Structure formats: C-alpha cells, structure tokens
Amino acid sequence: MSAQKLLVLGTGGTIAGSAATATGQSYAAGEISLDAMIADIRGLGLTVELVPKPIARIGSQDIGWEQWDALHGEIIAAQADPDIAGVIITHGTDTAEETAFLLDLTLDPGKPVVMVGAMRPADAVGSDGMRNLANAIRVASDPKAQDRGVMVVMGDTVFAASDVRKAATSNIDAFKGYPRGPIARVTPSSLDWFAPAHRVGSTARFQWPEALPRVAILTAGAGIDAMPVKALLGIGCKGIVIAGMGQGNAPRVVLDALAEAVRDGVPVVRSSRVDEGMVDRNVEVDDDAYVFVAARALGPAKSRILLMLLIASGVTDAKAVQAAFDGD
Ligand code: GLU
C-alpha cells in the first residue's frame, strides 16, 4: 500500500523562524524554507508522503487577503484530489486564530485541515516546531480527524478553529480553547480524541468572497470618547467590532456614536476585551434599542472575521448578523 499523501502549505511564522543565537530572544519569522523544514521532518522516519507547497514566508502579523485567497484555493484543489488525504498549514501563531476560523467558515469539513505553528524558532534551544509538525502529521493522517473542520495543533493539544485563541505571548502552551477546550491530545506516537466534532454545518457556512470589507476592532478603555468611532466611519469602515470592557461594555458616548453608525448601515458587534466568557444580549447594554449584535462566545478577532464574511455576503441586518453569531 502506498504511503498517505499530505499537502503541506507553508506561510512562515516562528515554526520557520531562525534565531540570532540558540539562547537569545531575538529572531526572524519565516526565514527557513518549507523544503528545509520538510527535509528535517522526513529525517524522523514518518511513513506519510509530504507534498510541500510554499504560499509565503512571513510573520503572520502580515497575513491578509492575498495569502488567505491562495490558501483557500489550494485547499479546495486538495479536497478534490483523491490522492491527498489531508492538508497541513504551517503558520505564525499571532494570527493562527483568524486564518483557522476564516478557513473553517468557508470550507466543507471532510478532509482534515490542520494548522500548526511554534512558539520557539527552529534553531532555538528547546524548539517546539518539529514536535508540533510531527503531531500535526499524526492528526492530519488520522481517519478520525475527518469532518471536524479546521483544527489547530500546538503544544501536544488539538483545538477546533471555532474555539482556539493565543492566550500567552511566549509560553510553549500558549493556546487555549473557549468555550470548548482541547478536542484531542497528541504526541508524535499517540493521538487521543475525547470530544466529538462540533463544527457548525456539514458544508461551508460561507462562499469564498471576492474581497473582504474593511471591518475594524475598537478596544474600549476607561475615559475614551466618541472620536475613534467617528474616525473609523470617516475612513469607510463597513463594520465595527467593539472589544468592550467586561460583558462588551463601553462608555455611553461611545455606544451612542456606535448607534449612529448602525443607523448609517454599519453593523456593530459587541465582544469583550476580557480573555474568556460570553457576551450576551441586553445584559447591561440595551442591544434591542441600540440595534447592536452580541458576539456571544466569539472574541474580538473571530468576531471580525465572521462580520467580514457576513458583510461580504450581503448580510448586514442586525437580526441576521445576530443569528450567525448565535451559531445558526
Ligand atoms: N509574529 C510571528 C507570527 O505570528 C511569530 C510568532 C509565532 O509564530 O509564534 O508569525
């Protein structure tokens, strides 16, 4: 029997990072080529066949439409290719949450799509990249990984795209899941699934758009006034996500300015700048009166992705946007 084939899409990040010294702190993301990484992982004697395809060599803070469009196109082609069993994306950790969620919302489940990164560059002492990549290979080639949507593998842990977020700047176990925690534990020699697939829908929730609209995240802080809202509207923002205090709160003057934005056809989603927790409707802010949307379990970064896709699909009505945030 021939070896399983996995497509590996490289985008850069710390997993392809190179340090000035093995013990220093400074390094450059995306320095190491995908071919070099694949050569290293082949040296581990894994039985899968890896098909490398470089997309970019960037820190993921610079990722955007161009790379997302390329990734989406490659994955659609891989899903249609009977020779390819699954897809791995090597990616910086800073925006892994955003790319994973965007792809999860726009791809059919089916073949596994596994995103993987690293917290330490490839040549730093105690580097986690090769282990994470070996773990990602194990997940992407497992039959039980089918139909779970996009997953993120970091620190011997597997998360669903809808839950995952980066929760620490430099620890090896930097990723957390909310509202659901890890769905599996993985090592290069073991894989234990302990949560069923919980992806919404059996097909892609959104068509791949032709472009993504400008949607901004505005972080609320004590004492801010309405000027940032007016500035965002002035540069043509098509949607605003507020990373509010607590349950998605903001000073009254800010809420009033956001209500004006809604009246001008700009949907407003209230999420929280707090790490975890639900933002529900009409708790302290009267969403019904303001015609705001509550982000529910989604944090600001994921809220922005979902709102961009909704607006790109022509959905701006607050009730319809709320239904999407409710997971319907
Ligand atoms: N900022 C870079 C990125 O997100 C490096 C961080 C990382 O990959 O861990 O690509």
Side-chain angles (χ1 to χ4, degrees):
M1 202 177 79
S2 58
Q4 249 185 337
K5 237 188 227 180
L6 300 178
L7 175 67
V8 185
L9 301 171
T11 69
T14 300
I15 192 166
S18 182
T21 69
T23 53
Q25 212 183 7
S26 62
Y27 71 97
E31 286 284 294
I32 297 171
S33 73
L34 184 63
D35 280 343
M37 282 167 57
I38 297 291
D40 281 352
I41 199 90
R42 282 193 186 120
L44 300 180
L46 302 173
T47 52
V48 290
E49 187 183 338
L50 301 173
V51 183
K53 173 98 199 195
I55 300 290
R57 274 167 68 176
I58 55 175
S60 69
Q61 60 273 30
D62 288 322
I63 210 153
W65 174 253
E66 187 191 330
Q67 296 79 20
W68 285 335
D69 194 40
L71 285 172
H72 190 268
E74 291 292 343
I75 298 169
I76 291 287
Q79 285 181 326
D81 182 344
D83 283 348
I84 301 286
V87 180
I88 293 173
I89 306 168
T90 62
H91 198 287
T93 59
D94 286 356
T95 61
E97 160 179 4
E98 280 137 287
T99 301
F101 193 47
L102 176 69
L103 294 174
D104 191 58
L105 291 169
T106 52
L107 291 167
D108 288 346
K111 283 184 193 176
V113 176
V114 178
M115 185 172 292
V116 64
M119 295 304 292
R120 295 177 183 155
D123 46 8
V125 64
S127 169
D128 52 333
M130 278 301 111
R131 184 181 179 96
N132 287 346
L133 187 49
N135 288 346
I137 290 168
R138 180 162 282 276
V139 173
S141 52
D142 190 289
K144 289 194 195 138
Q146 300 275 335
D147 294 322
R148 290 176 181 271
V150 178
M151 290 167 278
V152 174
V153 170
M154 286 292 295
D156 290 0
T157 308
V158 185
F159 298 96
S162 53
D163 302 318
V164 75
R165 74 176 199 288
K166 188 174 185 178
T169 55
S170 51
N171 303 348
I172 288 276
D173 57 347
F175 279 69
K176 280 192 174 178
Y178 182 82
R180 291 151 294 224
I183 56 173
R185 294 279 175 200
V186 59
T187 72
S189 58
S190 68
L191 173 56
D192 291 289
W193 298 99
F194 47 76
H198 51 248
R199 187 184 184 280
V200 176
S202 56
T203 56
R205 280 178 75 190
F206 293 90
Q207 296 271 328
W208 187 246
E210 288 187 0
L212 287 170
R214 187 189 294 272
V215 171
I217 300 172
L218 174 62
T219 303
I224 64 164
D225 62 16
M227 292 311 286
V229 176
K230 291 187 197 305
L232 291 177
L233 296 174
I235 58 165
C237 269
K238 301 287 185 254
I240 297 177
V241 172
I242 180 117
M245 306 125 165
Q247 270 260 5
N249 287 318
R252 169 127 350 246
V253 285
V254 173
L255 297 179
D256 290 345
L258 290 168
E260 256 176 65
V262 173
R263 283 194 285 276
D264 288 348
V266 174
V268 170
V269 175
R270 290 189 309 106
S271 67
S272 178
R273 67 181 194 179
V274 173
D275 277 357
E276 283 185 1
M278 302 295 287
V279 173
D280 290 320
R281 289 188 65 79
N282 302 321
V283 176
E284 269 192 88
V285 177
D286 189 342
D287 292 302
D288 291 346
Y290 277 116
V291 197
F292 292 159
V293 172
R296 311 296 311 287
L298 298 184
K302 284 195 205 70
S303 294
R304 175 171 165 266
I305 294 289
L306 179 53
L307 187 55
M308 286 196 295
L309 283 174
L310 285 161
I311 295 169
S313 329
V315 179
T316 55
D317 167 72
K319 274 206 173 73
V321 174
Q322 184 66 66
F325 275 80
D326 290 342
D328 298 341

